[in-house]
Amino acid sequence: MTVAGVFSDRTLATLPTPVAQATIKTTESGPSSLDQADRLFRQGLTLYQSNQIREAIEPWQQALHLYRELQNLHREGDVLNNLAAAYLHLENDASAIETAQQALSVTQSIDNVPVQAQVLGYLGRAFLRSERLEEAIQAWQQALALYQQLQNRQGEGETLGNLSTAYLAAEKYSIAMESAQQTLNIAQEINDTSLTIHAMNSLGRSHRALGHYPKAVDLYQQALALAQQSKNAQAEFRTLVLIGNAYESLGDYHGAIAQYQDSLTIAREKDNARMKVLILGNLGSTQANLGEFDEATKSHEESLAIAQAMKDRAGAAFALKNLGVTAHNLGQIQQAVDYYQQSLELVKTIDNSQLQVELFMSLGTVSESLKQYDTAITQYEQGLALSEAIGNPNLEGRLLNNLGHALMESDQLEEAKKRLRQSISLLASLRENLNDDAYHRSLFDTQVYTYNLLQQVLVRQQRYEAALEVSEQGRARAMVSLLSTQQDSLTTTATNDELLPSLSQIKQVARQKNATFVEYTLVPDDAFIVQGKRRGQAERLYIWVVKPTGEVNFQSVDLSQSDLKLADLVKFSRDTMGARHRGPIDRGRIDLVPANRPSQTEQLQRLHQLLIEPIYDWLPTNPDDLVVFIPQDDLFMVPFPALKDRADHYLVQQHTLLTSPSIQVYGLTQPQKSERLAPSEQTEASPESAARSSSTGLSGDDILIVGNPTMPNIWRSPQEPAHQLSDLPGAEQEALTIAQFFEAQPLVGTHATEKALKQQMPTARIIHLATHGLLEYGQPQSTGIRDVPGAIALTPGNGEDGLLTAAEIQSLKLNADLVVLSACDTGLGAITGDGVVGLSRSLITAGTSSVIVSLWAIPDSPTAVLMTEFYRQFQQGEDKAQALRKAMLMTLKAYPDPSDWAAFTLIGEAA
């Protein structure tokens, strides 16, 4: 449900001037009757202009009676025109239509073109509100022709604006865009701010409907700025709703809620019932997308009550449909069906194809919940027939996904595959115009379930290699798009199809990198879409192993028999290592877990049984051979090095480990040493230092080391005061020790400024950052800043706030072979279809070959041991993966608890 707006004619008919009045024909009733009628006319006009709309009707009706007795058609037409305006204002659309039609007949008989155009404008508004779209369009088209005849640019612009609104409601998006552009041209010509806002919003709505989300948001933001500058509250909250609609389409649900809540505040202040219905419906739908079903129910119930009191059938239909969604998500199946059926009955009385499509899709999901797949297929196909005519690729793509699921469950696998590939093709088309990485990520995250579902169909057909290809195509698409621009083999003009990995390319990466890839997919128990989100918990795990020879092996693991869900098992294992929960604020350790949970060893063994044992025979036997894990969702949080087999051996003792968001991403994060800076001269370095550096060509000038900056202030939310981050003396000692090893000059304390780091990062070959890593900084729900989540704490000053955000890093051009983030939780971030979105992702997409990050905070002493040994091994010629493994094994001897050594993980290139 989206916001609509129309322009009303700005003037009422008034009494003519004395000269003009003298030409009016009177009857034998005499001037006294005309004077009395004129007085009544003025009385109604005064009441109307003082906002006493209802009170104005009676004197106008009396004046109308007298003008008719006088056979004064000019004044009769004026009064009827004003009465139509009053009825419209009072939302009495039936009376407005009847009165306007009378006025139209009178004004046409005397060829009163200005009032005739005005009356047609009122008719269009009344028809639109009565869901009589074609009649509204016809009335406004007639009005447009008259305003053009009169050369009235104001009336022409407003009528074109109203036509764009009607075309949008009729789902004629291209025509709507053309009308809106003409409106904008006229509005800017006559310098009409209100009309400009309306035109920009209509253009934005057209672009959004066609999947051009960045363009839509840009237009909305321009309109919002104008509304705020002109202090037009009505336009402001309408525009806020539209921005929320766009964020919701992109999957940025928190951003959408913020916009809806701002607009709802204004609507309540203005007591605008229609806008409250609209905004509450949008707010509730977005709350449902976030799983906040109780809050969503409250929003929809309030929306329904207001709509029913207003006799707003469209608003009531939307509210009933949305209540059905929340009831379904809460498991109240029969109540959901009742809501949907009530909504469908209302929709049949109005002209809204998109809502009908959504209701058919909703009824289909209920049928699927009841395992009535044939019924669901019929309902989805009914919706699909309508959606194809509408031309909304997002809606059609979601519907095809659900149809594919129902076909799969009814064992029609070939047809299911066909429908799912159609869905993927449609959804991919939405991303082609996205240049903004955040939009690309968030939109793709709403589409991952279709790739997941197609994998299930292919696995059922025992086409395991084809399923792997789809698995890869459904991962890290935004990251691949960014990385591809850095490669000589791909250009910035590459299409989505050209960037999709093929099976042959996947095998080629395994051969070229001489690595064993282990790729995981979590399969939910339901894969149909309710309110734009995939439902269900993971009940099965798909695992592919791609050997260095290119051989592909597949295993499916049943998770439904486990007494603990895999996601809980991952969280509990991290709990026992002191890792904090992910969330919008740092809550510390919260033990909201069963009292009889397994011990740390048992948890690590159970994870090994689920994730490693099923594929154990396909893993390399040589511990020096590289194993690259490609996790999904919660598996990004798994401490793979610490997983234990039945013989109590840690995985890191048997294998050299690395992680990546996808095989294709790993293939793109190749070292570019030929493009790096040449080694610096070492004339003043000691022989020992020169020997240490000789194998890698590194000197102190090539290495950027930061430790314990003078910490900046941060704030967790707009409601809390800012506070300074705590000092990290252990991090300072770590930086000094590593710097001494390389005979480098570290940046510590006041010298570790954000400005200095930004200046030196592009030329450094190795960057080591021992400071605070802020996991959620940049997420709008915690900071109010819409940004890529993650930031590195540095010394503020010189115009910098001391928080080097992931977005700022991504804008840099780096040439580093390695960046080490020696800080707590730097490997975490928002988990999406693009992997873990945060600091590590930003560093790699900025040009870094490899990143070492931590999954939880490690005490100072074991960190110092591990990092010192890592650099020693690296300087001796070991690759990064081998150096990290050997550093872990040495630290394990001194600190046996895996919480002291297993947190660090290497992402990117091993060499």
Side-chain angles (χ1 to χ4, degrees), residues 659-687:
T659 61
S660 177
S662 75
I663 297 174
Q664 187 182 22
V665 164
Y666 186 76
L668 292 172
T669 54
Q670 56 190 9
Q672 302 174 51
K673 289 187 172 60
S674 61
E675 300 175 10
R676 312 291 190 200
L677 297 177
S680 300
E681 302 239 344
Q682 301 182 51
T683 53
E684 298 182 7
S686 67

Side-chain angles (χ1 to χ4, degrees), residues 526-780:
D526 287 330
F528 52 85
I529 308 166
V530 178
Q531 198 63 40
K533 295 285 282 186
R534 187 184 69 206
R535 302 177 67 244
Q537 296 287 336
E539 69 164 12
R540 186 161 291 279
L541 179 68
Y542 292 163
I543 314 177
W544 291 269
V545 178
V546 186
K547 293 185 177 181
T549 60
E551 176 188 343
V552 177
N553 295 282
F554 173 78
Q555 185 63 265
S556 177
V557 180
D558 186 1
L559 302 176
S560 62
Q561 304 304 312
S562 175
D563 58 331
L564 278 176
K565 294 175 183 175
L566 180 59
D568 290 336
L569 193 57
V570 173
K571 184 170 76 71
F572 296 166
S573 68
R574 287 173 45 75
D575 269 347
T576 59
M577 295 187 188
R580 65 179 177 84
H581 303 287
R582 292 183 297 109
I585 59 172
D586 188 349
R587 298 186 297 267
R589 291 189 57 191
I590 305 174
D591 294 323
L592 301 176
V593 294
N596 60 344
R597 68 180 177 185
S599 66
Q600 181 189 82
T601 296
E602 290 172 326
Q603 291 162 8
L604 295 173
Q605 287 177 335
R606 289 175 71 170
L607 283 171
H608 189 281
Q609 290 167 16
L610 291 173
L611 302 177
I612 305 301
E613 281 189 16
I615 57 168
Y616 184 81
D617 291 340
W618 297 324
L619 297 180
T621 56
N622 184 345
D624 291 335
D625 290 344
L626 183 64
V627 177
V628 183
F629 288 107
I630 315 294
Q632 185 191 47
D633 294 341
D634 295 297
L635 299 185
F636 275 102
M637 302 297 103
V638 171
F640 281 102
L643 301 189
K644 271 191 169 185
D645 65 14
R646 298 177 190 272
D648 228 25
H649 296 135
Y650 289 113
L651 192 62
V652 73
Q653 294 174 312
Q654 299 170 311
H655 301 288
T656 301
L657 308 176
L658 186 146
T659 61
S660 177
S662 75
I663 297 174
Q664 187 182 22
V665 164
Y666 186 76
L668 292 172
T669 54
Q670 56 190 9
Q672 302 174 51
K673 289 187 172 60
S674 61
E675 300 175 10
R676 312 291 190 200
L677 297 177
S680 300
E681 302 239 344
Q682 301 182 51
T683 53
E684 298 182 7
S686 67
E688 181 183 359
S689 173
R692 283 201 302 265
S693 301
S694 61
S695 62
T696 58
L698 291 172
S699 73
D701 292 337
D702 299 320
I703 299 170
L704 173 60
I705 302 171
V706 171
N708 192 26
T710 301
M711 295 298 173
N713 292 324
I714 67 163
W715 50 283
R716 291 295 185 187
S717 74
Q719 292 74 36
E720 297 181 22
H723 66 279
Q724 188 176 24
L725 291 168
S726 60
D727 285 341
L728 297 173
E732 183 169 342
Q733 184 57 50
E734 174 187 330
L736 293 171
T737 301
I738 294 171
Q740 186 177 17
F741 187 81
F742 286 101
E743 294 194 357
Q745 184 63 44
L747 299 177
V748 297
T750 57
H751 298 288
T753 65
E754 182 180 356
K755 184 174 182 179
L757 196 69
K758 285 180 176 178
Q759 290 173 340
Q760 297 184 41
M761 283 182 76
T763 58
R765 291 182 59 186
I766 290 182
I767 301 169
H768 185 96
L769 304 172
T771 180
H772 283 293
L774 307 178
L775 169 58
E776 293 96 1
Y777 190 87
Q779 289 183 330

Side-chain angles (χ1 to χ4, degrees), residues 29 58 102 176 208 258 294 299 347 433 547 578 619 704 840 862:
S29 299
E58 184 176 349
Q102 293 176 30
R208 174 178 171 257
D294 290 337
S299 296
V347 171
N433 297 316
K547 293 185 177 181
L619 297 180
L704 173 60
S840 58

Side-chain angles (χ1 to χ4, degrees), residues 242-262:
L242 290 170
I243 295 172
N245 295 157
Y247 284 169
E248 191 173 354
S249 294
L250 287 162
D252 183 0
Y253 301 121
H254 290 286
I257 284 177
Q259 302 298 321
Y260 294 148
Q261 288 175 334
D262 286 347

Side-chain angles (χ1 to χ4, degrees), residues 8 24 34 74 88 212 290 381 429 500 627 637 642 670 842:
S8 61
I24 295 175
L34 179 59
H74 280 86
L88 267 178
H212 308 155
L290 289 171
E381 287 177 338
S429 70
L500 290 176
V627 177
M637 302 297 103
Q670 56 190 9
S842 293

Side-chain angles (χ1 to χ4, degrees), residues 311-333:
K311 295 183 170 50
D312 177 1
R313 288 175 295 170
F318 272 106
L320 286 164
K321 189 270 289 188
N322 290 333
L323 281 167
V325 171
T326 55
H328 189 184
N329 278 293
L330 291 168
Q332 301 163 359
I333 303 299

